[in-house]
Amino acid sequence: MAVVLDDHLVTLTCDNCGDTVAGPRMASDAEVVWPLVSEHGWSGSPLAHGPHRCAHCTQLGPAAAGVPGGILGIEHLGAVTVVTVAGDVDVDTGDTLGIALRHAADMGGHVLVDLGGTDLLDSTALGLLVRAHRHAAERGALLCVASRSPLIRQVLRVTRLDEVFPVADTRADALARLQSRAVVLDASE
């Protein structure tokens, strides 16, 4: 993946097809490329490092796993923002998850954290999930986690976090749960 940051311009290259987009470099945090990614319908890391996929390749589905502690994508599907995580999420890689969860909160809807490509969460990651759940609840939204990993499910069970927010086996199950909740919320307004 290539991200070129010069004095006034950011250029992103799709990891899948090689397509590129360019836009003005934001004055804040030189490593944050999310405004460009979001504006063009791309998915991927909000940071300059990590995977990025163009709008066309994003429609093909999630990227292959294998990026240690990375964010494979941030997608907006109606009233749900999906954060797809891969690799171990620990004290060394938690910042990336934290940024992605803050972006999801800024979008205002429900949040789905897809941990299908993740086998390890440490206390840093658990803290980020609890904080994201709290922020979602404050705005009347729900955070849901998707994971089939026996280790992650055990950690969530032992810490009783599976009683705090819903945990689904698959991304599709979690998305269906959140989208049906969004319909109920829309009807009550």
Side-chain angles (χ1 to χ4, degrees):
M1 195 269 309
V3 174
V4 177
L5 300 170
D6 68 27
D7 290 338
H8 304 287
L9 195 66
V10 177
T11 304
L12 293 176
T13 302
C14 177
D15 289 324
N16 199 46
C17 71
D19 195 11
T20 62
V21 294
R25 187 168 176 178
M26 299 297 161
S28 65
D29 291 320
E31 297 297 308
V32 175
V33 297
W34 184 251
L36 184 62
V37 169
S38 180
E39 178 182 320
H40 292 279
W42 286 38
S43 62
S45 172
L47 303 176
H49 67 279
H52 297 96
R53 292 170 28 127
C54 70
H56 171 74
C57 291
T58 296
Q59 292 176 358
L60 300 176
V67 179
I71 302 299
L72 289 181
I74 301 174
E75 301 168 84
H76 307 292
L77 305 173
V80 180
T81 299
V82 181
V83 177
T84 305
V85 184
D88 298 345
V89 183
D90 55 24
V91 70
D92 294 326
T93 60
D95 288 346
T96 304
L97 177 59
I99 290 169
L101 291 172
R102 281 192 298 278
H103 170 74
D106 291 344
M107 295 308 295
H110 299 299
V111 178
L112 165 55
V113 182
D114 182 355
L115 300 173
T118 306
D119 291 315
L120 176 79
L121 299 177
D122 77 353
S123 60
T124 301
L126 296 175
L128 290 168
L129 290 174
V130 168
R131 189 173 304 120
H133 161 72
R134 194 172 334 128
H135 290 151
E138 287 171 358
R139 60 179 196 280
L142 187 64
L143 176 127
C144 186
V145 172
S147 176
R148 282 192 177 168
S149 165
L151 179 58
I152 289 176
R153 303 284 295 220
Q154 178 69 12
V155 167
L156 294 174
R157 190 170 29 259
V158 168
T159 59
R160 299 181 80 154
L161 289 177
D162 62 347
E163 297 173 12
V164 174
F165 46 77
V167 180
D169 285 337
T170 67
R171 170 189 172 113
D173 292 343
L175 192 56
R177 176 182 281 177
L178 292 174
Q179 287 175 333
S180 68
R181 173 91 186 255
V183 170
V184 170
L185 287 176
D186 288 344
S188 68
E189 291 178 0

